[in-house]
Amino acid sequence: MPPGAALIYRARTPADVLLRHELDFLAQARHTSVWYVIGSRNEPGPRQVMSPEGLRRLVPDLTRRDVYLCGPGGLVDDAVGVLRRAGVPRRQIHLATFEL
């Protein structure tokens, strides 16, 4: 993580968060921000955070950043749509999909 990065980690449950201690350590060491968005996709909290408005509240300069998405295809596809609606140019969105 480069200094000043903003990491939003989406998971269904706290147990689904991989490498949390390592991410927290890196974030502190590199002066970055980490937000863990926990809950099912039907819960209002995660739905609100993972909306264009919610992402812009967390990262006000979102449209000026490069965004790296990593996760299952469906989640990545949904996130791309949200980012585009938030005004992030397509050239600033970088993808890596995987399935566990």
Side-chain angles (χ1 to χ4, degrees):
M1 284 187 282
L7 172 64
I8 301 169
Y9 193 119
R10 178 75 179 93
R12 278 184 242 156
T13 69
D16 292 328
V17 176
L18 304 176
L19 304 172
R20 184 177 189 140
H21 296 293
E22 291 84 350
L23 289 172
D24 291 342
F25 174 81
L26 286 172
Q28 183 177 11
R30 297 188 181 174
H31 306 289
T32 66
S33 301
V34 178
W35 294 276
Y36 297 97
V37 180
I38 309 296
S40 80
R41 61 179 77 188
N42 297 322
E43 291 181 43
R47 287 178 62 103
Q48 186 177 35
V49 172
M50 300 307 289
S51 69
E53 299 79 20
L55 292 175
R56 284 192 300 258
R57 273 193 298 276
L58 285 181
V59 186
D61 62 345
L62 179 66
T63 60
R64 294 190 309 272
R65 292 183 180 243
D66 281 292
V67 178
Y68 297 85
L69 295 169
C70 183
L75 176 108
V76 168
D77 292 343
D78 290 347
V80 168
V82 171
L83 290 165
R84 296 291 295 133
R85 289 193 303 279
V88 177
R90 193 172 308 279
R91 70 182 177 281
Q92 292 169 215
I93 301 173
H94 313 279
L95 312 175
T97 59
F98 70 87
E99 297 289 335
L100 292 177

Coordinates of all heavy atoms in Angstrom, one line a residue:
M1 N 0.8 -1.2 0.0 CA 0.0 0.0 0.0 C 0.9 1.2 0.0 O 1.7 1.4 0.9 CB -0.9 0.0 1.2 CG -2.1 -0.9 1.2 SD -3.2 -0.7 2.6 CE -2.3 -1.6 3.9
P2 N 0.7 2.1 -1.0 CA 1.5 3.4 -1.0 C 0.9 4.3 0.1 O -0.2 4.2 0.5 CB 1.2 3.9 -2.4 CG -0.1 3.3 -2.8 CD -0.2 2.0 -2.1
P3 N 1.8 5.2 0.6 CA 1.3 6.2 1.6 C 0.1 6.9 1.1 O 0.0 7.3 -0.1 CB 2.5 7.1 1.7 CG 3.7 6.3 1.3 CD 3.2 5.4 0.3
G4 N -0.9 7.1 1.9 CA -2.1 7.9 1.6 C -3.2 7.0 0.9 O -4.2 7.5 0.5
A5 N -2.9 5.7 0.7 CA -3.9 4.9 0.1 C -5.1 4.8 1.0 O -5.1 5.0 2.2 CB -3.3 3.5 -0.2
A6 N -6.2 4.4 0.4 CA -7.5 4.1 1.1 C -7.9 2.7 0.7 O -8.2 2.5 -0.5 CB -8.6 5.2 0.7
L7 N -8.0 1.8 1.7 CA -8.4 0.5 1.4 C -9.8 0.2 2.0 O -10.0 0.5 3.2 CB -7.4 -0.5 2.1 CG -7.8 -2.0 2.1 CD1 -7.9 -2.5 0.7 CD2 -6.8 -2.8 2.9
I8 N -10.7 -0.2 1.2 CA -12.0 -0.6 1.7 C -12.1 -2.1 1.5 O -12.0 -2.6 0.3 CB -13.1 0.1 0.9 CG1 -13.0 1.6 1.0 CG2 -14.5 -0.3 1.4 CD1 -13.8 2.4 0.1
Y9 N -12.3 -2.8 2.6 CA -12.3 -4.3 2.6 C -13.7 -4.7 2.9 O -14.3 -4.5 3.9 CB -11.3 -4.8 3.6 CG -11.0 -6.3 3.5 CD1 -9.7 -6.7 3.3 CD2 -12.0 -7.3 3.6 CE1 -9.4 -8.1 3.3 CE2 -11.7 -8.6 3.5 CZ -10.4 -9.0 3.4 OH -10.1 -10.3 3.3
R10 N -14.3 -5.4 1.9 CA -15.7 -5.9 2.0 C -15.7 -7.3 2.3 O -15.1 -8.2 1.7 CB -16.4 -5.6 0.7 CG -17.8 -6.1 0.6 CD -18.7 -5.1 1.3 NE -20.1 -5.5 1.2 CZ -20.7 -6.3 2.1 NH1 -20.1 -6.7 3.2 NH2 -22.0 -6.7 2.0
A11 N -16.5 -7.7 3.4 CA -16.6 -9.1 3.8 C -18.0 -9.4 4.4 O -18.6 -8.4 5.0 CB -15.5 -9.5 4.8
R12 N -18.5 -10.6 4.3 CA -19.8 -10.9 4.9 C -19.7 -11.0 6.5 O -20.6 -10.5 7.1 CB -20.3 -12.3 4.4 CG -21.0 -12.1 3.1 CD -21.5 -13.5 2.7 NE -20.8 -13.8 1.4 CZ -20.6 -14.9 0.9 NH1 -21.1 -16.0 1.5 NH2 -20.0 -15.1 -0.2
T13 N -18.6 -11.5 7.0 CA -18.5 -11.7 8.4 C -17.1 -11.3 8.8 O -16.2 -11.3 8.0 CB -18.7 -13.1 8.9 OG1 -17.7 -13.9 8.4 CG2 -20.1 -13.7 8.4
P14 N -16.8 -11.0 10.1 CA -15.5 -10.7 10.5 C -14.5 -11.9 10.3 O -13.3 -11.6 9.9 CB -15.6 -10.4 12.0 CG -17.0 -9.9 12.2 CD -17.8 -10.7 11.2
A15 N -15.0 -13.1 10.3 CA -14.2 -14.3 10.1 C -13.7 -14.3 8.6 O -12.7 -15.0 8.3 CB -14.9 -15.5 10.5
D16 N -14.5 -13.7 7.7 CA -14.1 -13.7 6.3 C -13.0 -12.7 6.0 O -12.5 -12.7 4.8 CB -15.3 -13.4 5.5 CG -16.4 -14.4 5.5 OD1 -16.0 -15.6 5.7 OD2 -17.6 -14.1 5.4
V17 N -12.6 -11.8 6.9 CA -11.5 -10.9 6.6 C -10.2 -11.6 6.7 O -9.8 -12.1 7.8 CB -11.6 -9.7 7.6 CG1 -10.4 -8.8 7.4 CG2 -12.9 -8.9 7.5
L18 N -9.5 -11.7 5.6 CA -8.2 -12.4 5.6 C -7.1 -11.3 5.9 O -7.1 -10.2 5.4 CB -8.0 -13.0 4.3 CG -9.0 -14.0 3.8 CD1 -8.7 -14.5 2.4 CD2 -9.1 -15.2 4.8
L19 N -6.1 -11.7 6.6 CA -4.9 -10.9 6.9 C -5.2 -9.6 7.5 O -4.5 -8.6 7.3 CB -4.1 -10.7 5.6 CG -3.7 -12.0 4.8 CD1 -3.1 -11.6 3.5 CD2 -2.7 -12.8 5.6
R20 N -6.2 -9.5 8.4 CA -6.6 -8.3 9.0 C -5.4 -7.6 9.8 O -5.2 -6.4 9.7 CB -7.8 -8.5 9.9 CG -8.2 -7.1 10.5 CD -9.5 -7.3 11.3 NE -10.0 -5.9 11.6 CZ -11.2 -5.6 11.7 NH1 -12.2 -6.5 11.4 NH2 -11.6 -4.4 12.0
H21 N -4.7 -8.4 10.6 CA -3.6 -7.9 11.4 C -2.5 -7.3 10.5 O -2.0 -6.2 10.8 CB -3.1 -8.9 12.4 CG -4.1 -9.4 13.4 ND1 -4.6 -8.6 14.4 CD2 -4.7 -10.6 13.6 CE1 -5.5 -9.2 15.1 NE2 -5.6 -10.4 14.6
E22 N -2.2 -8.0 9.5 CA -1.2 -7.5 8.5 C -1.6 -6.2 7.8 O -0.8 -5.3 7.7 CB -0.9 -8.6 7.5 CG -0.2 -9.8 8.1 CD -1.1 -10.9 8.7 OE1 -2.3 -10.6 8.9 OE2 -0.6 -11.9 9.1
L23 N -2.9 -6.2 7.4 CA -3.4 -5.0 6.8 C -3.4 -3.8 7.7 O -3.0 -2.7 7.3 CB -4.8 -5.2 6.2 CG -4.9 -6.1 5.0 CD1 -6.3 -6.5 4.7 CD2 -4.2 -5.5 3.8
D24 N -3.8 -4.0 9.0 CA -3.8 -3.0 10.0 C -2.4 -2.5 10.2 O -2.1 -1.3 10.3 CB -4.5 -3.4 11.3 CG -6.0 -3.6 11.1 OD1 -6.6 -3.1 10.1 OD2 -6.5 -4.3 12.0
F25 N -1.4 -3.4 10.3 CA 0.0 -3.0 10.5 C 0.5 -2.2 9.4 O 1.1 -1.1 9.6 CB 0.8 -4.3 10.7 CG 2.3 -4.0 10.8 CD1 2.9 -3.6 12.0 CD2 3.1 -4.1 9.7 CE1 4.2 -3.3 12.1 CE2 4.5 -3.8 9.7 CZ 5.0 -3.4 10.9
L26 N 0.3 -2.7 8.1 CA 0.7 -1.9 7.0 C 0.1 -0.5 6.9 O 0.7 0.5 6.6 CB 0.4 -2.7 5.7 CG 1.3 -3.9 5.4 CD1 0.8 -4.7 4.2 CD2 2.7 -3.5 5.2
A27 N -1.2 -0.5 7.2 CA -1.9 0.8 7.1 C -1.3 1.8 8.1 O -1.1 3.0 7.8 CB -3.4 0.6 7.4
Q28 N -1.0 1.3 9.3 CA -0.4 2.2 10.3 C 1.0 2.6 9.9 O 1.4 3.8 10.0 CB -0.4 1.6 11.7 CG 0.1 2.5 12.8 CD 0.1 1.8 14.1 OE1 -0.2 0.6 14.3 NE2 0.3 2.6 15.2
A29 N 1.8 1.7 9.4 CA 3.1 2.0 9.1 C 3.2 2.9 7.9 O 4.2 3.7 7.8 CB 3.9 0.7 8.8
R30 N 2.3 2.8 7.0 CA 2.3 3.6 5.7 C 1.4 4.8 5.7 O 1.1 5.4 4.7 CB 2.1 2.7 4.5 CG 3.2 1.7 4.5 CD 3.2 0.9 3.3 NE 4.3 -0.1 3.3 CZ 4.4 -1.0 2.4 NH1 3.6 -1.1 1.4 NH2 5.4 -1.9 2.5
H31 N 0.8 5.1 6.9 CA -0.2 6.2 7.0 C -1.3 6.1 5.9 O -1.5 7.1 5.2 CB 0.6 7.5 6.9 CG 1.7 7.6 7.8 ND1 1.5 7.8 9.2 CD2 3.0 7.5 7.7 CE1 2.7 7.8 9.8 NE2 3.6 7.7 8.9
T32 N -1.9 5.0 5.9 CA -3.1 4.8 5.0 C -4.3 4.6 5.8 O -4.3 4.4 7.0 CB -2.9 3.6 4.1 OG1 -2.8 2.4 4.8 CG2 -1.6 3.7 3.3
S33 N -5.5 4.6 5.2 CA -6.7 4.3 5.8 C -7.3 3.0 5.4 O -7.2 2.6 4.2 CB -7.8 5.4 5.4 OG -7.3 6.7 5.8
V34 N -7.9 2.2 6.4 CA -8.5 1.0 6.1 C -9.9 1.0 6.7 O -10.1 1.3 7.9 CB -7.7 -0.2 6.7 CG1 -8.5 -1.5 6.4 CG2 -6.3 -0.3 6.1
W35 N -10.9 0.7 5.9 CA -12.3 0.5 6.4 C -12.7 -0.9 6.1 O -12.6 -1.4 5.0 CB -13.2 1.5 5.7 CG -12.9 2.9 6.0 CD1 -13.4 3.6 7.1 CD2 -12.2 3.8 5.2 NE1 -12.9 4.9 7.0 CE2 -12.2 5.1 5.8 CE3 -11.5 3.7 4.0 CZ2 -11.6 6.2 5.3 CZ3 -10.9 4.8 3.5 CH2 -10.9 6.0 4.1
Y36 N -13.2 -1.6 7.1 CA -13.8 -2.9 6.9 C -15.3 -2.8 6.9 O -15.9 -2.3 7.8 CB -13.4 -3.8 8.1 CG -11.9 -4.0 8.2 CD1 -11.1 -3.2 9.0 CD2 -11.3 -5.0 7.4 CE1 -9.7 -3.4 9.1 CE2 -9.9 -5.1 7.4 CZ -9.1 -4.4 8.2 OH -7.8 -4.5 8.3
V37 N -15.9 -3.2 5.8 CA -17.3 -3.1 5.6 C -17.8 -4.5 5.7 O -17.6 -5.4 4.8 CB -17.7 -2.5 4.2 CG1 -19.2 -2.5 4.0 CG2 -17.1 -1.1 4.0
I38 N -18.5 -4.8 6.9 CA -18.9 -6.2 7.2 C -20.4 -6.3 7.2 O -21.1 -5.4 7.8 CB -18.3 -6.5 8.6 CG1 -16.8 -6.2 8.7 CG2 -18.7 -8.0 9.0 CD1 -16.0 -7.0 7.8
G39 N -20.9 -7.3 6.6 CA -22.3 -7.7 6.6 C -22.8 -8.2 5.3 O -22.0 -8.0 4.3
S40 N -23.9 -8.7 5.2 CA -24.5 -9.3 4.0 C -24.8 -8.1 3.0 O -25.0 -7.0 3.5 CB -25.7 -10.1 4.2 OG -26.9 -9.3 4.4
R41 N -24.9 -8.4 1.8 CA -25.2 -7.4 0.8 C -26.6 -6.8 0.9 O -26.9 -5.8 0.4 CB -24.9 -7.9 -0.6 CG -25.8 -9.0 -1.1 CD -25.5 -9.4 -2.5 NE -24.2 -10.2 -2.5 CZ -23.6 -10.5 -3.6 NH1 -24.2 -10.3 -4.8 NH2 -22.5 -11.2 -3.6
N42 N -27.5 -7.5 1.7 CA -28.8 -7.0 1.9 C -28.9 -6.1 3.2 O -30.0 -5.5 3.4 CB -29.8 -8.2 2.1 CG -29.8 -9.0 0.8 OD1 -29.8 -8.5 -0.3 ND2 -29.9 -10.3 1.0
E43 N -27.9 -6.0 4.0 CA -28.0 -5.2 5.2 C -27.8 -3.7 4.8 O -27.0 -3.4 3.9 CB -26.9 -5.6 6.2 CG -27.1 -7.0 6.8 CD -26.0 -7.3 7.8 OE1 -25.6 -6.5 8.6 OE2 -25.6 -8.5 7.7
P44 N -28.5 -2.8 5.5 CA -28.5 -1.4 5.1 C -27.1 -0.8 5.2 O -26.7 0.1 4.4 CB -29.5 -0.7 6.0 CG -30.0 -1.8 7.0 CD -29.5 -3.1 6.5
G45 N -26.4 -1.1 6.3 CA -25.0 -0.5 6.5 C -24.1 -0.7 5.3 O -23.6 0.3 4.7
P46 N -23.8 -2.0 5.0 CA -22.9 -2.2 3.8 C -23.5 -1.7 2.5 O -22.7 -1.1 1.7 CB -22.8 -3.7 3.8 CG -23.0 -4.2 5.2 CD -24.1 -3.2 5.7
R47 N -24.8 -1.8 2.3 CA -25.4 -1.2 1.1 C -25.2 0.3 1.0 O -24.9 0.8 -0.1 CB -26.9 -1.6 1.0 CG -27.2 -3.0 0.7 CD -28.7 -3.3 0.7 NE -29.3 -2.5 -0.3 CZ -29.7 -3.0 -1.5 NH1 -29.6 -4.3 -1.7 NH2 -30.3 -2.3 -2.4
Q48 N -25.3 1.0 2.1 CA -25.1 2.4 2.1 C -23.6 2.8 1.8 O -23.3 3.7 1.0 CB -25.6 3.0 3.4 CG -25.5 4.5 3.5 CD -26.0 5.0 4.8 OE1 -25.8 4.4 5.8 NE2 -26.7 6.2 4.7
V49 N -22.7 2.1 2.5 CA -21.3 2.4 2.3 C -20.9 2.1 0.9 O -20.1 2.8 0.3 CB -20.4 1.6 3.3 CG1 -18.9 1.7 3.0 CG2 -20.7 2.0 4.7
M50 N -21.3 1.0 0.3 CA -20.9 0.6 -1.0 C -21.8 1.2 -2.1 O -21.9 0.6 -3.2 CB -20.9 -1.0 -1.1 CG -20.0 -1.6 -0.1 SD -18.3 -1.0 -0.1 CE -17.7 -1.7 -1.7
S51 N -22.3 2.4 -1.9 CA -23.0 3.1 -2.9 C -22.1 4.3 -3.4 O -21.1 4.6 -2.7 CB -24.3 3.7 -2.3 OG -23.9 4.8 -1.3
P52 N -22.4 4.9 -4.5 CA -21.6 6.1 -4.9 C -21.4 7.1 -3.8 O -20.3 7.6 -3.6 CB -22.4 6.6 -6.1 CG -23.1 5.4 -6.7 CD -23.5 4.6 -5.5
E53 N -22.5 7.4 -3.2 CA -22.5 8.5 -2.1 C -21.6 8.0 -0.9 O -20.9 8.8 -0.4 CB -23.9 8.8 -1.6 CG -24.8 9.4 -2.7 CD -25.4 8.3 -3.7 OE1 -25.4 7.1 -3.3 OE2 -25.7 8.7 -4.8
G54 N -21.8 6.7 -0.5 CA -21.1 6.2 0.6 C -19.6 6.2 0.3 O -18.8 6.5 1.2
L55 N -19.2 5.8 -0.9 CA -17.8 5.7 -1.2 C -17.2 7.1 -1.3 O -16.1 7.4 -0.8 CB -17.5 5.0 -2.6 CG -17.8 3.5 -2.6 CD1 -17.7 3.0 -4.0 CD2 -16.9 2.8 -1.6
R56 N -17.9 8.1 -1.8 CA -17.4 9.5 -1.8 C -17.3 10.1 -0.4 O -16.4 10.9 -0.2 CB -18.3 10.3 -2.7 CG -18.1 10.1 -4.2 CD -18.7 11.1 -5.0 NE -20.2 11.2 -4.9 CZ -21.1 10.7 -5.7 NH1 -20.6 10.1 -6.8 NH2 -22.3 10.8 -5.5
R57 N -18.2 9.6 0.5 CA -18.0 10.1 1.9 C -16.7 9.5 2.5 O -16.0 10.2 3.3 CB -19.2 9.6 2.8 CG -20.4 10.6 2.7 CD -21.4 10.3 3.8 NE -22.0 9.0 3.7 CZ -23.1 8.7 2.9 NH1 -23.6 9.7 2.2 NH2 -23.6 7.5 2.9
L58 N -16.4 8.3 2.3 CA -15.2 7.7 2.8 C -13.9 8.3 2.2 O -12.9 8.5 2.8 CB -15.2 6.2 2.6 CG -16.0 5.3 3.5 CD1 -15.9 3.8 3.1 CD2 -15.8 5.5 4.9
V59 N -14.0 8.4 0.8 CA -12.8 8.9 0.1 C -13.3 10.1 -0.8 O -13.7 9.9 -1.9 CB -12.3 7.7 -0.8 CG1 -11.0 8.1 -1.5 CG2 -12.1 6.5 0.0
P60 N -13.3 11.3 -0.2 CA -13.8 12.4 -0.9 C -13.2 12.7 -2.3 O -13.8 13.2 -3.2 CB -13.5 13.6 0.0 CG -13.5 13.0 1.4 CD -12.9 11.6 1.2
D61 N -11.9 12.3 -2.4 CA -11.2 12.5 -3.7 C -11.2 11.3 -4.6 O -10.3 11.1 -5.5 CB -9.8 13.0 -3.5 CG -8.9 12.0 -2.8 OD1 -9.4 11.1 -2.2 OD2 -7.7 12.2 -2.8
L62 N -12.2 10.5 -4.4 CA -12.3 9.2 -5.1 C -12.1 9.3 -6.6 O -11.4 8.5 -7.2 CB -13.7 8.6 -4.8 CG -14.1 7.2 -5.5 CD1 -13.2 6.1 -4.9 CD2 -15.5 6.9 -5.2
T63 N -12.7 10.3 -7.2 CA -12.6 10.4 -8.7 C -11.2 10.8 -9.2 O -11.0 10.7 -10.4 CB -13.6 11.4 -9.2 OG1 -13.3 12.7 -8.7 CG2 -15.1 11.0 -8.9
R64 N -10.3 11.1 -8.3 CA -9.0 11.5 -8.7 C -8.0 10.3 -8.4 O -6.8 10.5 -8.6 CB -8.5 12.8 -8.1 CG -9.3 14.0 -8.5 CD -8.7 15.3 -8.0 NE -8.4 15.4 -6.6 CZ -9.3 15.8 -5.7 NH1 -10.5 16.1 -6.1 NH2 -9.0 15.8 -4.4
R65 N -8.5 9.2 -7.9 CA -7.6 8.1 -7.5 C -7.7 6.9 -8.5 O -8.7 6.8 -9.2 CB -8.0 7.6 -6.1 CG -7.8 8.5 -5.0 CD -8.1 7.9 -3.7 NE -7.9 8.8 -2.6 CZ -7.0 8.5 -1.6 NH1 -6.3 7.4 -1.6 NH2 -6.9 9.3 -0.6
D66 N -6.7 6.1 -8.5 CA -6.8 4.8 -9.2 C -7.4 3.9 -8.2 O -7.1 3.9 -7.0 CB -5.4 4.3 -9.6 CG -4.9 5.0 -10.8 OD1 -5.4 4.7 -11.9 OD2 -3.9 5.8 -10.7
V67 N -8.3 3.0 -8.7 CA -9.0 2.1 -7.8 C -8.7 0.7 -8.3 O -8.7 0.3 -9.4 CB -10.5 2.3 -7.9 CG1 -11.3 1.3 -7.1 CG2 -10.9 3.7 -7.5
Y68 N -8.2 -0.1 -7.3 CA -7.9 -1.5 -7.6 C -8.9 -2.4 -6.9 O -9.1 -2.4 -5.7 CB -6.5 -1.8 -7.0 CG -5.4 -1.0 -7.7 CD1 -5.1 0.3 -7.3 CD2 -4.8 -1.5 -8.8 CE1 -4.2 1.0 -8.0 CE2 -3.8 -0.8 -9.5 CZ -3.5 0.5 -9.1 OH -2.6 1.2 -9.7
L69 N -9.6 -3.2 -7.7 CA -10.6 -4.1 -7.2 C -10.1 -5.6 -7.3 O -9.6 -6.0 -8.3 CB -11.9 -4.0 -8.0 CG -12.6 -2.7 -7.9 CD1 -13.7 -2.6 -9.0 CD2 -13.2 -2.5 -6.6
C70 N -10.3 -6.3 -6.2 CA -9.9 -7.7 -6.2 C -11.0 -8.5 -5.5 O -11.5 -8.1 -4.4 CB -8.6 -7.8 -5.4 SG -8.0 -9.5 -5.4
G71 N -11.5 -9.5 -6.1 CA -12.5 -10.3 -5.4 C -13.3 -11.2 -6.4 O -12.9 -11.2 -7.6
P72 N -14.4 -11.8 -6.0 CA -15.2 -12.6 -6.9 C -15.8 -11.8 -8.0 O -16.1 -10.6 -7.8 CB -16.3 -13.2 -6.0 CG -15.8 -13.1 -4.6 CD -14.8 -11.9 -4.6
G73 N -15.9 -12.4 -9.2 CA -16.4 -11.7 -10.4 C -17.7 -10.8 -10.1 O -17.7 -9.7 -10.5
G74 N -18.7 -11.4 -9.5 CA -19.9 -10.7 -9.2 C -19.7 -9.4 -8.4 O -20.2 -8.3 -8.7
L75 N -18.9 -9.5 -7.4 CA -18.6 -8.4 -6.5 C -17.8 -7.3 -7.3 O -18.1 -6.1 -7.2 CB -17.8 -8.8 -5.3 CG -17.3 -7.6 -4.4 CD1 -18.1 -7.6 -3.1 CD2 -15.9 -7.7 -4.1
V76 N -16.8 -7.8 -8.0 CA -16.0 -6.8 -8.8 C -16.9 -6.1 -9.9 O -16.8 -4.9 -10.0 CB -14.8 -7.5 -9.5 CG1 -14.2 -6.7 -10.5 CG2 -13.8 -8.0 -8.4
D77 N -17.8 -6.9 -10.5 CA -18.6 -6.3 -11.5 C -19.6 -5.2 -10.9 O -19.8 -4.1 -11.4 CB -19.5 -7.3 -12.3 CG -18.7 -8.2 -13.1 OD1 -17.5 -7.9 -13.5 OD2 -19.2 -9.3 -13.5
D78 N -20.2 -5.6 -9.8 CA -21.0 -4.6 -9.1 C -20.3 -3.4 -8.6 O -20.7 -2.3 -8.8 CB -21.7 -5.3 -7.8 CG -22.7 -6.3 -8.2 OD1 -23.1 -6.4 -9.3 OD2 -23.1 -7.1 -7.2
A79 N -19.0 -3.6 -8.1 CA -18.2 -2.5 -7.6 C -17.9 -1.5 -8.8 O -17.8 -0.3 -8.6 CB -17.0 -3.0 -6.9
V80 N -17.6 -2.1 -9.9 CA -17.2 -1.3 -11.1 C -18.4 -0.4 -11.4 O -18.3 0.8 -11.7 CB -16.8 -2.1 -12.3 CG1 -16.8 -1.3 -13.6 CG2 -15.5 -2.8 -12.1
G81 N -19.6 -0.9 -11.4 CA -20.8 -0.1 -11.7 C -21.0 1.0 -10.7 O -21.3 2.2 -11.1
V82 N -20.8 0.7 -9.4 CA -20.9 1.8 -8.4 C -19.8 2.8 -8.6 O -20.1 4.0 -8.5 CB -20.8 1.1 -7.0 CG1 -20.7 2.2 -5.9 CG2 -21.9 0.2 -6.7
L83 N -18.6 2.4 -8.9 CA -17.5 3.4 -9.1 C -17.8 4.3 -10.3 O -17.6 5.5 -10.3 CB -16.2 2.7 -9.3 CG -15.6 2.0 -8.0 CD1 -14.5 1.0 -8.4 CD2 -15.1 3.1 -7.0
R84 N -18.3 3.7 -11.4 CA -18.6 4.5 -12.6 C -19.7 5.5 -12.3 O -19.6 6.7 -12.7 CB -19.0 3.6 -13.7 CG -17.9 2.7 -14.2 CD -16.8 3.4 -14.9 NE -17.3 4.0 -16.1 CZ -17.1 5.2 -16.5 NH1 -16.3 6.0 -15.8 NH2 -17.6 5.7 -17.6
R85 N -20.7 5.1 -11.5 CA -21.8 6.0 -11.1 C -21.3 7.1 -10.2 O -21.8 8.2 -10.1 CB -23.0 5.2 -10.5 CG -23.8 4.4 -11.5 CD -25.1 3.9 -10.9 NE -25.0 3.1 -9.7 CZ -24.7 1.8 -9.7 NH1 -24.4 1.2 -10.8 NH2 -24.7 1.2 -8.5
A86 N -20.2 6.8 -9.4 CA -19.6 7.8 -8.5 C -18.7 8.7 -9.3 O -18.2 9.7 -8.7 CB -18.8 7.1 -7.5
G87 N -18.5 8.5 -10.6 CA -17.7 9.4 -11.4 C -16.3 9.0 -11.6 O -15.5 9.8 -12.2
V88 N -15.9 7.8 -11.2 CA -14.5 7.3 -11.4 C -14.3 6.9 -12.9 O -15.1 6.1 -13.4 CB -14.2 6.1 -10.5 CG1 -12.7 5.6 -10.8 CG2 -14.3 6.5 -9.0
P89 N -13.4 7.5 -13.6 CA -13.1 7.2 -15.0 C -12.7 5.7 -15.1 O -12.0 5.2 -14.3 CB -12.0 8.1 -15.4 CG -12.1 9.3 -14.5 CD -12.5 8.7 -13.2
R90 N -13.2 5.1 -16.2 CA -12.9 3.7 -16.4 C -11.3 3.4 -16.4 O -10.9 2.4 -15.9 CB -13.5 3.2 -17.8 CG -13.5 1.7 -18.0 CD -14.3 1.3 -19.2 NE -15.6 1.9 -19.3 CZ -16.7 1.3 -18.7 NH1 -16.5 0.3 -17.9 NH2 -17.9 1.9 -18.8
R91 N -10.6 4.3 -16.9 CA -9.1 4.1 -17.0 C -8.4 4.1 -15.7 O -7.3 3.6 -15.5 CB -8.5 5.2 -17.9 CG -8.4 6.6 -17.3 CD -7.9 7.6 -18.2 NE -7.9 8.9 -17.6 CZ -9.0 9.7 -17.5 NH1 -10.1 9.3 -18.1 NH2 -9.0 10.9 -16.9
Q92 N -9.1 4.5 -14.6 CA -8.6 4.5 -13.2 C -9.1 3.3 -12.4 O -8.7 3.2 -11.3 CB -9.0 5.8 -12.5 CG -8.4 7.0 -13.1 CD -9.0 8.3 -12.5 OE1 -9.0 9.3 -13.3 NE2 -9.4 8.3 -11.3
I93 N -9.8 2.4 -13.1 CA -10.3 1.2 -12.4 C -9.5 0.0 -12.9 O -9.5 -0.3 -14.1 CB -11.8 1.0 -12.6 CG1 -12.6 2.2 -12.1 CG2 -12.3 -0.3 -11.9 CD1 -14.1 2.2 -12.5
H94 N -8.9 -0.7 -12.0 CA -8.0 -1.9 -12.3 C -8.6 -3.1 -11.6 O -8.9 -3.1 -10.4 CB -6.6 -1.6 -11.8 CG -6.1 -0.3 -12.3 ND1 -5.6 0.0 -13.5 CD2 -6.0 0.9 -11.6 CE1 -5.3 1.3 -13.6 NE2 -5.5 1.9 -12.4
L95 N -8.7 -4.2 -12.3 CA -9.4 -5.4 -11.9 C -8.6 -6.6 -11.7 O -7.7 -6.9 -12.5 CB -10.6 -5.7 -12.8 CG -11.5 -4.6 -13.3 CD1 -12.4 -5.1 -14.3 CD2 -12.2 -4.0 -12.1
A96 N -8.9 -7.4 -10.7 CA -8.4 -8.8 -10.5 C -9.5 -9.6 -9.9 O -9.9 -9.3 -8.7 CB -7.2 -8.7 -9.6
T97 N -10.0 -10.6 -10.6 CA -11.1 -11.4 -10.0 C -10.5 -12.7 -9.5 O -9.5 -13.2 -10.1 CB -12.2 -11.6 -11.0 OG1 -11.6 -12.3 -12.2 CG2 -12.8 -10.3 -11.4
F98 N -11.2 -13.3 -8.6 CA -10.8 -14.7 -8.1 C -12.0 -15.3 -7.4 O -13.0 -14.6 -7.0 CB -9.6 -14.7 -7.1 CG -10.0 -14.0 -5.8 CD1 -10.5 -14.8 -4.8 CD2 -9.7 -12.7 -5.6 CE1 -10.8 -14.2 -3.6 CE2 -10.0 -12.1 -4.4 CZ -10.6 -12.9 -3.4
E99 N -12.0 -16.6 -7.2 CA -13.1 -17.3 -6.5 C -12.4 -18.1 -5.4 O -11.3 -18.7 -5.7 CB -13.9 -18.2 -7.4 CG -14.7 -17.5 -8.4 CD -15.9 -16.7 -7.9 OE1 -16.4 -17.0 -6.8 OE2 -16.3 -15.7 -8.5
L100 N -12.9 -18.1 -4.2 CA -12.3 -19.0 -3.2 C -13.0 -20.4 -3.2 O -14.1 -20.5 -3.5 CB -12.5 -18.4 -1.8 CG -11.7 -17.1 -1.5 CD1 -12.0 -16.6 -0.2 CD2 -10.2 -17.4 -1.6

